Amino acid sequence: MTTTALPTADDLQAQARSALERCGVDLDLLTGEQTSHSPINGETLANLSWTSADEVDACVARARDAFAIWRDTPAPARGALVRRLGALLMEHKADIATLVSLEVGKITSEALGEVQEMIDVCDFAVGLSRQLYGRTMPSERPGHRLMETWHPLGVVGVISAFNFPVAVWSWNTAIALVCGDPVVWKPSETAPLSALACNAVLQQAIAEAAAPANLSQVVIGGADVGQRLVDHQDVALISATGSTRMGQAVGQRVAARFGRCLLELGGNNAAIVTPSADLDLTVRGIVFAAAGTAGQRCTTMRRVIVHESVLDDLAKRLTSVYERLPIGDPTTDGTLVGPLIGGSAYQAMTAALGQAQDEGGKVLVGGERQLADAASDAYYVQPAVVQMPQQTQIVTRETFAPVLYLIPYTDLDEALSLNNAVPQGLSSSIFTEDQAEAERFMSAAGSDCGLVNVNIGTSGAEIGGAFGGEKETGGGRESGSDAWRTYMRRATNTVNYSGELPLAQGVDFSV
């Protein structure tokens, strides 16, 4: 089911300007030679100037100056700033969500959910500001105390991708700020307006808290700007979200200067569907994870490893739901599938479907372009389900589009092997009513992913848990749990109050 009417360029530009103005963005910034397009209609959304690579150096220098003040600010006071940021994000939730929809094509409920995720991580970080715990360990020497303390790390560079244009920034920024670190943010080139709005909201919070003005800065530009940030000796941590290829380049460059990296890269996420699975629940979990955000999440479900006894039933159910998915303008009520980010994503999807058929796959539903007559430069597609005879070459590669492969299995050992037999290791699920199967899936010999779920899909992680994956996903962890340690440096402290000088390990060095 496809809606046919799309908004005009004037309509979208007016919405964007109104949202930006309410967030406190100077509209004079919307001048320049670089054009931003909306995937909703493929037309110009705004023009603006990009930051030059040379300007990155000045931003980092200002951040270093802010760090000298912020690292000595008590952590609970740093948390007060983040508390105010969360309140302002709540106030501007609808405006930022509007910009997210206009720039990357998310349906309204998903865009609002992304901003809610920002608010939630601020709540988490505020509590964390009073819990940056170290440890005290027993010393082997009498009259000594052995402990560890955690200190602010330095300037954090954040490079974010288009599919979560604001949430990923907030995961890093809220935690970095309570840990005592300033942030320099290089957003996706496709989502500069969302970044300007978020930065303006944070700048208001900074001013109200009388915090250093340059705790947060945005550098908008292309690969040269990102590379300058990656290579800068004064950037202590680079948190980068994107493709595996990008992460390989970033990781090597940061390692060459002995900096730190937090990488969130590709995903090729699978769900195992067992004979005991509740198929009604399973279908709901699969459809959101596979078709939500038009298949453009790093946690999007791309493979369903389904027991041969329920394969035909599940395939029929999924095909029926996919045929009825409402596709079109993401800002319209009732739409569930918005546009792809651009033509290259559509081409990648078409190529993947062609290769899947060459490798023996059968397209059960989807793959066709929609609304091409209404907007030639906008790329709407019907999400596709492809039944494969086995896990072939194309299935092991991530295609950042709504293509879902169904792969049969005969026993759980085979299913676990298929789940793990891809280079990526981000998210995974099992649908089962058998407790033993669930426990095996979560065990050390089960899924090798960073996110391992039971009876839910692969998308929709909560901020309380650490988010990230293994293998070519990069190994990074953001958001909850103890991910805060990435943004701090550890010191091991030994205090001698004995009046003597015994050496460790019984060493005798008397003089």
Side-chain angles (χ1 to χ4, degrees), residues 140-268:
E140 67 184 64
R141 290 170 284 184
H144 285 62
R145 178 158 56 91
L146 185 62
M147 63 181 183
E148 66 179 25
T149 51
W150 292 85
H151 303 291
L153 180 63
V155 178
V156 174
V158 176
I159 299 174
S160 58
F162 80 87
N163 57 333
F164 279 87
V166 294
V168 170
W169 167 76
S170 71
W171 294 352
N172 286 277
T173 298
I175 305 299
L177 288 175
V178 300
C179 288
D181 306 326
V183 174
V184 179
W185 178 23
K186 193 270 181 199
S188 168
E189 299 95 311
T190 63
L193 304 185
S194 300
L196 290 175
C198 290
N199 187 61
V201 169
L202 179 50
Q203 290 302 327
Q204 180 181 340
I206 287 171
E208 292 177 4
N214 294 307
L215 281 177
S216 172
Q217 298 173 82
V218 173
V219 289
I220 295 172
D224 60 330
V225 170
Q227 184 170 310
R228 183 65 67 91
L229 193 61
V230 165
D231 290 341
H232 205 293
Q233 193 66 40
D234 288 335
V235 176
L237 170 68
I238 289 288
S239 176
T241 303
S243 68
T244 296
R245 186 175 69 172
M246 180 274 282
Q248 288 173 330
V250 168
Q252 291 177 33
R253 299 183 79 97
V254 174
R257 62 175 180 83
F258 296 100
R260 289 196 197 177
C261 244
L262 192 166
L263 298 175
E264 297 288 359
L265 310 175
N268 193 351

Side-chain angles (χ1 to χ4, degrees), residues 7-348:
T8 66
D10 287 345
D11 289 338
L12 298 188
Q13 289 171 10
Q15 290 181 54
R17 292 177 72 88
S18 295
L20 288 166
E21 191 169 29
R22 285 192 292 270
C23 289
V25 176
D26 182 358
L27 296 186
D28 288 342
L29 293 174
L30 303 186
T31 57
E33 298 179 353
Q34 298 294 336
T35 301
S36 173
H37 296 86
S38 174
I40 294 175
N41 59 9
E43 298 187 50
T44 298
L45 187 60
N47 294 297
L48 65 166
S49 297
W50 280 7
T51 307
S52 71
D54 290 340
E55 289 176 291
V56 174
D57 296 340
C59 288
V60 174
R62 290 192 292 267
R64 284 285 297 172
D65 291 342
F67 176 62
I69 301 170
W70 196 238
R71 67 186 174 188
D72 289 331
T73 302
R78 302 194 296 248
L81 167 61
V82 177
R83 181 186 299 112
R84 182 57 183 149
L85 171 61
L88 289 172
L89 288 172
M90 179 66 79
E91 187 178 319
H92 294 287
K93 181 176 179 178
D95 293 323
I96 296 174
T98 292
L99 293 168
V100 169
S101 290
L102 297 182
E103 290 198 295
V104 304
K106 283 194 176 182
I107 63 173
T108 299
S109 65
E110 287 195 69
L112 287 167
E114 179 166 353
V115 185
Q116 185 61 49
E117 196 167 336
M118 303 171 76
I119 297 164
D120 292 346
V121 81
C122 286
D123 285 348
F124 177 85
V126 171
L128 183 64
S129 68
R130 294 181 181 271
Q131 301 179 70
L132 302 174
Y133 298 134
R135 292 190 179 98
T136 299
M137 292 78 76
S139 174
E140 67 184 64
R141 290 170 284 184
H144 285 62
R145 178 158 56 91
L146 185 62
M147 63 181 183
E148 66 179 25
T149 51
W150 292 85
H151 303 291
L153 180 63
V155 178
V156 174
V158 176
I159 299 174
S160 58
F162 80 87
N163 57 333
F164 279 87
V166 294
V168 170
W169 167 76
S170 71
W171 294 352
N172 286 277
T173 298
I175 305 299
L177 288 175
V178 300
C179 288
D181 306 326
V183 174
V184 179
W185 178 23
K186 193 270 181 199
S188 168
E189 299 95 311
T190 63
L193 304 185
S194 300
L196 290 175
C198 290
N199 187 61
V201 169
L202 179 50
Q203 290 302 327
Q204 180 181 340
I206 287 171
E208 292 177 4
N214 294 307
L215 281 177
S216 172
Q217 298 173 82
V218 173
V219 289
I220 295 172
D224 60 330
V225 170
Q227 184 170 310
R228 183 65 67 91
L229 193 61
V230 165
D231 290 341
H232 205 293
Q233 193 66 40
D234 288 335
V235 176
L237 170 68
I238 289 288
S239 176
T241 303
S243 68
T244 296
R245 186 175 69 172
M246 180 274 282
Q248 288 173 330
V250 168
Q252 291 177 33
R253 299 183 79 97
V254 174
R257 62 175 180 83
F258 296 100
R260 289 196 197 177
C261 244
L262 192 166
L263 298 175
E264 297 288 359
L265 310 175
N268 193 351
N269 315 294
I272 295 173
V273 180
T274 71
S276 68
D278 176 341
L279 289 188
D280 289 336
L281 181 148
T282 299
V283 168
R284 293 198 302 272
I286 288 174
V287 173
F288 170 68
T293 324
Q296 297 171 118
R297 291 185 178 215
C298 52
T299 54
T300 290
M301 189 183 297
R302 309 206 180 276
R303 299 174 293 143
V304 175
I305 302 164
V306 53
H307 193 270
E308 57 190 10
S309 66
V310 293
L311 173 59
D312 290 343
D313 190 1
L314 182 63
K316 289 177 183 177
R317 290 169 180 251
L318 288 173
T319 299
S320 176
V321 174
Y322 268 56
E323 288 173 340
R324 295 181 280 111
L325 286 174
I327 304 164
D329 176 7
T331 64
T332 299
D333 289 344
T335 298
L336 293 182
V337 181
L340 297 175
I341 193 64
S344 60
Y346 173 68
Q347 292 163 10

Side-chain angles (χ1 to χ4, degrees), residues 493-508:
N493 312 123
T494 306
V495 179
N496 177 8
Y497 58 92
S498 69
E500 304 293 335
L501 196 63
L503 300 178
Q505 292 85 49
V507 174
D508 183 3

